[in-house]
Amino acid sequence: MSDPESDDEPAPADAFAALSDPVRVDILDALTDHHRDEGPEPVGFAALRRRVGVRDSGRFRYHLNQLRARFVERTDDGYRLTATGARVAGAILAGTYTESVSLGPAELDSTCPFCGTPAVATVQDGQCVVSCAEDHPLFSWHVPANATTDATLSEVVALAELFAFQAIEQALAGVCTQCYDSVETTIGDPAEPGFRAVCDTCPARVAGPISFPLLVDPDVASWCRTHGYTLREDHVWEFPFVGDDASVEAVDARGTQSGADADDGDTTVDGGELVVTVAIDDDSLTATLDGDGRVVAVEEN
Ligand SMILES: [Zn+2]
Ligand SMILES: [Zn+2]
């Protein structure tokens, strides 16, 4: 656990301040180029200064020192990016050289499970949003601009779905997808079940139906595959138990179908666990989720 107030842990403001001068961003850029060309070998002071194009060596050293420790490390042979420096450089450069892409709105080869009208996708300001003529929210996820260059709308949607499911798996492992701090997952209460992972450190947030953690479980995924659904080939909103809440049915602690009505949820909680029944066609599967959303038991009915 990191304590933002502790003295040996630099405050986020200090990290932002360290990047506040264009020369320092140019230094990260030059070290990134060097890393690409030469691998992790450090680059000497003079060579780095020439790459960045600063003539005044005192001024250059001052800016380089502002990046030391956190973003740049000094070895006996010169300077190189730290692991954090490489990630920060990646994040800055990802948005620097790529124009934001706008695609759609356009219909996908898919229909809305709620109303049957075609699913419509839009990519704007780095966000991929899928909805329908009736504005049913089907899917929304962030896609960085440089990942969308030259891609078609359906390729971007597929990529966004891949990112979303990687984020769910990473959140279930207790790690934030953006800042790698520890993150807690929750599944809500029976009246309002839903999968959530909200980072305390950065703006990362995963929120979706209770079926999200089920879809990435190997046993559930393999059962879905035998019923003709795979995450790679089908959109997340096309899985019958994702789009249609009614097919997620409540089962009480003794395993009896409760026949709960749709209004008060389709799930029960037993000691923080949640038992959901997932149905495709005439078959169903009962999965038990612990309070963190991890699948602890799967049973075919
Ligand atoms: Zn709809
Ligand atoms: Zn985070």
Side-chain angles (χ1 to χ4, degrees):
M1 279 288 157
S2 65
D3 174 6
E5 302 298 319
S6 86
D7 288 341
D8 48 12
E9 190 84 23
D14 294 340
F16 284 116
L19 299 169
S20 64
D21 189 286
V23 171
R24 298 175 205 163
V25 176
D26 288 346
I27 292 172
L28 290 184
D29 197 6
L31 285 169
T32 301
D33 278 348
H34 174 78
H35 186 94
R36 223 178 356 244
D37 297 342
E38 314 282 341
E41 287 302 308
V43 53
F45 179 85
L48 181 59
R49 185 172 63 80
R50 275 194 303 276
R51 266 186 186 254
V52 178
V54 175
R55 298 180 70 138
D56 180 339
S57 120
R59 176 170 169 253
F60 182 71
R61 185 180 304 279
Y62 168 76
H63 287 302
L64 182 56
N65 280 339
Q66 303 306 308
L67 295 168
R68 289 272 302 281
R70 183 182 284 234
F71 301 115
V72 174
E73 65 179 339
R74 185 182 177 179
T75 72
D76 290 343
D77 302 317
Y79 299 85
R80 66 181 169 205
L81 292 173
T82 61
T84 302
R87 282 195 58 81
V88 166
I92 294 172
L93 301 174
T96 303
Y97 298 129
T98 323
E99 296 258 324
S100 183
V101 175
S102 286
L103 295 167
E107 291 181 1
L108 299 173
D109 183 17
S110 174
T111 52
C112 170
F114 301 105
C115 65
T117 67
V120 175
T122 311
V123 175
Q124 201 163 25
D125 297 330
Q127 194 76 13
C128 171
V129 177
V130 182
S131 166
C132 69
E134 306 282 322
D135 283 334
H136 291 122
L138 300 181
F139 177 76
S140 175
W141 200 258
H142 173 65
V143 269
N146 53 339
T148 61
T149 313
D150 300 330
T152 65
L153 184 62
S154 54
E155 285 168 346
V156 175
V157 172
L159 200 57
E161 289 184 272
L162 174 67
F163 291 159
F165 281 93
Q166 286 175 337
I168 292 166
E169 292 200 80
Q170 210 166 318
L172 285 169
V175 179
C176 173
T177 60
Q178 279 184 32
C179 74
Y180 298 93
D181 219 333
S182 59
V183 72
E184 280 185 23
T185 47
T186 59
I187 52 174
D189 58 45
E192 237 178 309
F195 181 71
R196 271 188 173 53
V198 181
C199 183
D200 286 338
T201 308
C202 81
R205 181 174 182 278
V206 177
I210 195 63
S211 40
F212 269 20
L214 294 172
L215 289 171
V216 296
D217 179 76
D219 293 333
V220 178
S222 120
W223 181 80
C224 289
R225 199 160 46 240
T226 63
H227 290 79
Y229 290 90
T230 70
L231 267 189
R232 291 278 174 190
E233 285 160 29
D234 301 286
H235 295 298
V236 54
W237 60 88
E238 291 173 340
F239 284 70
F241 53 90
V242 174
D244 181 6
D245 281 343
S247 67
V248 181
E249 288 181 2
V251 173
D252 71 20
R254 292 174 305 280
T256 314
Q257 298 249 333
S258 74
D261 64 56
D263 286 334
D264 63 8
D266 301 296
T267 46
T268 55
V269 164
D270 179 29
E273 291 186 341
L274 207 133
V275 184
V276 287
T277 298
V278 166
I280 297 180
D281 301 330
D282 293 332
D283 282 340
S284 68
L285 181 88
T286 303
T288 306
L289 301 178
D290 69 12
D292 298 328
R294 294 182 185 88
V295 178
V296 291
V298 173
E299 207 180 308
E300 281 189 48
N301 303 314

